[in-house]
Amino acid sequence: MKVSIELLPEYRIPYAVIYADKITDEIQKIMESFSRQETPITALQNEDNLVVLQPEEIYMVRVEAGDTILFGKCSKYRSRKRLYELEKQLGNQFMQISKSTLVNLSYLESIEAGFNGTLLLKLKNGCKDYVSRKYLPEFKKYLGL
């Protein structure tokens, strides 16, 4: 794909145009990434305390026993949203690695070989989770493997 950027003073708000003969998977992903708006997430710190988190404050999102848990640097929060809703809202820095987990790729610390062909991801806040075989090809593509 060819990319061209023109800087013109009359365009205060960025404006993108894609020229193609058909919509491919690559173009579809680009359109989705441009249309995603990273917005703050509201979550419960405890039953009485509602907090507003920016996407960059969230290291991992995991569904545990039916509850959606957001892991920050030192704290855990509970969200009323479903995993797929948070994935749309959080933006491109997050990737689904299993049926129940999203990780913030900015906070990857290390990757280890796991059992049965999976990978164990360790995040900078100490959280760990496995990339399931279903999500492994996309994760390897992200790593450039």
Side-chain angles (χ1 to χ4, degrees), residues 121-135:
L121 302 184
K122 294 183 180 180
L123 302 181
K124 293 179 181 176
N125 67 344
C127 287
K128 302 175 190 177
D129 209 340
Y130 287 94
V131 180
S132 69
R133 287 184 294 174
K134 177 182 177 182
Y135 296 93

Side-chain angles (χ1 to χ4, degrees), residues 55-72:
E56 61 270 9
E57 296 176 277
I58 301 169
Y59 284 62
M60 178 187 284
V61 180
R62 184 186 293 148
V63 177
E64 298 177 350
D67 288 333
T68 306
I69 308 298
L70 309 175
F71 293 85

Side-chain angles (χ1 to χ4, degrees), residues 78-91:
R78 192 167 51 85
S79 174
R80 293 186 177 123
K81 293 190 175 192
R82 296 186 149 315
L83 194 66
Y84 74 90
E85 294 172 318
L86 288 170
E87 182 181 19
K88 287 181 182 177
Q89 192 173 359
L90 288 169

Side-chain angles (χ1 to χ4, degrees), residues 30-133:
I30 291 169
M31 288 172 27
E32 288 172 8
S33 71
F34 278 134
S35 65
R36 284 186 183 170
Q37 298 288 327
E38 293 183 15
T39 56
I41 307 293
T42 55
L44 296 167
Q45 189 166 23
N46 54 45
E47 294 305 316
D48 300 323
N49 193 12
L50 185 69
V51 294
V52 177
L53 300 170
Q54 296 300 319
E56 61 270 9
E57 296 176 277
I58 301 169
Y59 284 62
M60 178 187 284
V61 180
R62 184 186 293 148
V63 177
E64 298 177 350
D67 288 333
T68 306
I69 308 298
L70 309 175
F71 293 85
K73 186 173 185 176
C74 301
S75 302
K76 291 196 300 188
Y77 310 92
R78 192 167 51 85
S79 174
R80 293 186 177 123
K81 293 190 175 192
R82 296 186 149 315
L83 194 66
Y84 74 90
E85 294 172 318
L86 288 170
E87 182 181 19
K88 287 181 182 177
Q89 192 173 359
L90 288 169
N92 294 334
Q93 67 199 39
F94 284 82
M95 179 181 281
Q96 188 162 2
I97 61 165
S98 70
K99 183 178 169 184
S100 60
T101 306
L102 296 172
V103 294
N104 188 333
L105 298 168
S106 305
Y107 295 120
L108 281 179
E109 185 173 85
S110 66
I111 303 167
E112 297 176 7
F115 61 93
N116 293 331
T118 61
L119 294 176
L120 176 64
L121 302 184
K122 294 183 180 180
L123 302 181
K124 293 179 181 176
N125 67 344
C127 287
K128 302 175 190 177
D129 209 340
Y130 287 94
V131 180
S132 69
R133 287 184 294 174

